[in-house]
């Protein structure tokens, strides 16, 4: 019997820093539409579900081809984690072998990396596979600001170390998170039970602030021009 996969896109309506962020126009389409379209385009999923507490978001999700799961009030506040929302969806839609949580704020998402995550997870004993990217600057040479507004290095022993001699570091890219349903781990996501799917940095941009939004728009425009 073939493995069954479901996609879950959590899209709450209460964005504060960028009002109505999930459905705000991004190069001619609601931001959330890009994640829905890539999930459908991948042909990996029996269902593409948008979990929301907002009727307007629900209508947009259906327009772009997703199914809608209206979440209960206890899963619609500022403190509800993604794991709880995904767990709720799996209770409503049981029987799947893999679940992929896709963030609705990932217009640079590429189908090939979704597929790579699924294939690598399926053929391994890992529990998770998620999008990641390399840090643009050596973390060993970063510093904090003191209360006096001065510098204090996190790792002062590396002040004079050449960048090319420092180990490369990686970060969560915030696009997608695959998981084997029913298989648990005592590790955090950034642990030995996870496979990071490494994306180039030009395909990664958090969208939490108006500045982030503008940067993402510029990155998307350049990518479209390069592909045309």
């Amino acid at each position: 019997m073939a493995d069954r996969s479901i996609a879950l896109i959590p899209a709450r309506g209460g964005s504060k820093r960028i009002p109505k962020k999930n459905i705000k126009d991004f190069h001619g389409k609601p931001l959330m539409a890009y994640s829905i379209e890539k999930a459908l385009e991948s042909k990996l999923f029996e269902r593409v579900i948008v979990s929301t507490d907002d009727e307007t978001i629900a209508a947009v999700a259906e327009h772009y081809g997703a199914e809608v799961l209206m979440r209960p009030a206890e899963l619609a506040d500022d403190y509800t984690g993604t794991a709880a929302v995904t767990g709720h969806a799996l209770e409503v839609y049981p029987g799947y072998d893999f679940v992929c949580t896709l963030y609705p704020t990932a217009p640079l998402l590429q189908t090939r990396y979704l597929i790579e995550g699924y294939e690598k997870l399926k053929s391994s004993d890992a529990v998770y596979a998620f999008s990641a990217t390399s840090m643009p600057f050596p973390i060993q040479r970063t510093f904090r600001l003191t209360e006096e507004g001065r510098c204090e290095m996190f790792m002062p022993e590396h002040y004079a170390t050449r960048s090319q001699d420092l180990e490369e570091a990686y970060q969560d890219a915030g696009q997608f998170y695959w998981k084997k349903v029913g298989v648990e781990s005592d590790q955090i996501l950034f642990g030995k039970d996870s496979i990071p799917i490494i994306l180039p940095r030009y395909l990664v941009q958090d969208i939490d602030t108006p500045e982030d939004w503008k940067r993402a728009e510029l990155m998307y425009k350049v990518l479209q021009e390069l592909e045309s």
Side-chain angles (χ1 to χ4, degrees):
M1 182 181 298
D3 291 314
R4 304 176 66 205
S5 299
I6 185 171
L8 188 281
I9 301 173
R12 198 168 62 86
S15 176
K16 294 181 175 60
R17 286 178 289 185
I18 304 176
K20 299 183 179 180
K21 176 172 68 173
N22 292 326
I23 54 174
K24 180 179 170 66
D25 182 83
F26 185 96
H27 282 285
K29 288 187 289 193
L31 181 62
M32 179 179 67
Y34 293 88
S35 295
I36 295 172
E37 290 178 342
K38 290 301 181 182
L40 293 170
E41 180 185 310
S42 74
K43 307 295 186 183
L44 292 169
F45 307 106
E46 287 188 16
R47 277 191 156 103
V48 175
I49 307 293
V50 170
S51 170
T52 188
D53 60 332
D54 186 284
E55 294 290 349
T56 304
I57 288 177
V60 171
E62 290 180 337
H63 176 77
Y64 282 92
E67 298 180 56
V68 170
L69 176 60
M70 299 302 295
R71 69 177 73 169
E74 61 269 21
L75 295 180
D77 59 31
D78 291 340
Y79 304 101
T80 300
T82 303
V85 175
T86 301
H88 171 248
L90 291 174
E91 289 177 1
V92 176
Y93 301 102
Y96 288 91
D97 303 291
F98 295 90
V99 59
C100 185
T101 303
L102 295 92
Y103 280 176
T105 54
L108 304 179
L109 175 66
Q110 301 289 304
T111 305
R112 64 183 181 272
Y113 295 110
L114 270 181
I115 296 171
E116 180 183 346
Y118 170 71
E119 291 178 344
K120 286 188 174 179
L121 182 59
K122 182 180 178 181
S123 62
S124 76
D125 62 355
V127 180
Y128 308 99
F130 68 97
S131 58
T133 194
S134 59
M135 297 291 288
F137 185 83
I139 61 171
Q140 300 89 340
R141 297 187 57 193
T142 56
F143 58 88
R144 64 169 64 88
L145 295 181
T146 67
E147 292 182 0
E148 295 77 26
R150 304 299 176 89
C151 301
E152 182 178 84
M153 285 193 70
F154 287 99
M155 302 179 188
E157 65 273 21
H158 288 300
Y159 171 70
T161 306
R162 298 187 309 166
S163 297
Q164 59 265 42
D165 295 331
L166 294 170
E167 184 177 3
E168 192 161 28
Y170 298 85
Q171 64 181 9
D172 180 7
Q175 292 188 359
F176 62 84
Y177 306 84
W178 280 100
K179 183 182 185 298
K180 290 177 178 174
V181 177
V183 181
E184 301 305 325
S185 169
D186 59 3
Q187 300 288 308
I188 61 172
L189 180 63
F190 307 148
K192 66 180 180 63
D193 287 340
S194 295
I195 299 172
I197 306 303
I198 307 302
L199 279 56
R201 289 199 296 269
Y202 63 80
L203 292 179
V204 177
Q205 175 60 51
D206 284 340
I207 305 180
D208 294 321
T209 67
E211 180 184 1
D212 293 340
W213 184 282
K214 184 62 177 178
R215 187 192 301 271
E217 284 186 319
L218 292 171
M219 292 169 69
Y220 183 87
K221 180 180 179 181
V222 171
L223 286 169
Q224 293 305 299
E225 290 173 350
L226 290 174
E227 292 175 0
S228 62

